[in-house]
Amino acid sequence: MALAIATMMTFLGAGTAGAAPRSGLFLCQSSVFRLADEVWLQANPPETPCADDLEATDRQDLTFLGTYRLQSSVIDARTDQKPNILTSAAPAAGDLANSSARLASIRVTGPGLLIEFGAVHADAAVTCVPGGDGLVPSFSARSTIVTLKVNGTTVVDLTGPITIPLSVGTLRLNQTTTTATALVRRAAVWDTPFVDLILGEARVSIAPSDGNPCRA
């Protein structure tokens, strides 16, 4: 606990000569695949604080739940913070934390199931913008799925939150979870009675809950 407190004090600029202290931190993290407690290709695993990171690979081939297989090509997860060292400059409009996950294609197969995605992208950001009495954090998110076929049938409408019934569970697209201090965007979630498979997840938040990284 003492180490965690000391680390946060350092990032807030406490006791550091020439630093520009802030009253909060940005947090960020992204992942390409998540299955229960297992994560594949994750950027900035600590999440706290936000930091620039990039993890990428040409392809991924996974077997899960015994009989299901996931294959993907050209995937990457990345996180970014501006400024890179939060306490290196005074708070300014446009300071931000961003996370994103990108996949060129995904194919999920199993008994009676074939899901084929074209390019998939999930992005989340928290940005310092002018507020009523100074800069405040503003959250935004988006995700795109270029094409999708389920058992050979093309899904035409891929905008907005969508729920598609499957033989096992449901497929949920463009899902956003928000609180006053955090945002999570998921491009696709296969929700089954056993476990959820998350494809393309981007997370951003601020800490502590009553802090503001956009102000000194």
Side-chain angles (χ1 to χ4, degrees), residues 3-208:
L3 178 59
I5 293 173
T7 300
M8 179 168 285
M9 292 291 283
T10 298
F11 280 103
L12 290 176
T16 304
R22 308 226 181 183
S23 60
L25 293 173
F26 288 130
L27 287 66
C28 64
Q29 187 182 84
S30 64
S31 58
V32 175
F33 307 120
R34 183 185 296 271
L35 183 69
D37 294 332
E38 294 186 82
V39 181
W40 290 267
L41 214 66
Q42 186 175 64
N44 195 36
E47 190 172 2
T48 308
C50 188
D52 290 5
D53 191 17
L54 170 62
E55 302 295 331
T57 186
D58 288 341
R59 62 187 69 253
Q60 190 79 55
D61 194 334
L62 310 170
T63 300
F64 61 100
L65 297 179
T67 57
Y68 294 94
R69 184 180 183 186
L70 184 152
Q71 298 165 286
S72 66
S73 64
V74 189
I75 56 180
D76 72 63
R78 63 184 68 202
T79 54
D80 178 59
Q81 179 176 266
K82 175 187 175 183
N84 289 339
I85 300 174
L86 200 59
T87 57
S88 66
D95 290 354
L96 61 81
N98 178 268
S99 61
S100 67
R102 304 169 189 267
L103 307 94
S105 66
I106 312 170
R107 180 184 173 93
V108 179
T109 57
L113 182 67
L114 172 59
I115 305 174
E116 299 169 288
F117 291 89
V120 173
H121 173 216
D123 182 89
V126 53
T127 307
C128 295
V129 300
D133 57 351
L135 295 175
V136 296
S138 175
F139 290 88
S140 61
R142 65 186 177 92
S143 56
T144 57
I145 299 170
V146 175
T147 60
L148 173 62
K149 289 184 179 181
V150 178
N151 292 333
T153 300
T154 298
V155 179
V156 177
D157 183 7
L158 296 173
T159 61
I162 301 168
T163 299
I164 301 171
L166 301 176
S167 57
V168 177
T170 56
L171 183 63
R172 305 184 190 278
L173 309 180
N174 306 315
Q175 301 293 302
T176 304
T177 302
T178 60
T179 68
T181 59
L183 183 151
V184 179
R185 182 74 171 195
R186 291 166 173 163
V189 180
W190 181 23
D191 185 358
T192 80
F194 317 105
V195 69
D196 289 351
L197 173 65
I198 299 168
L199 308 174
E201 180 183 80
R203 297 172 170 263
V204 290
S205 57
I206 58 174

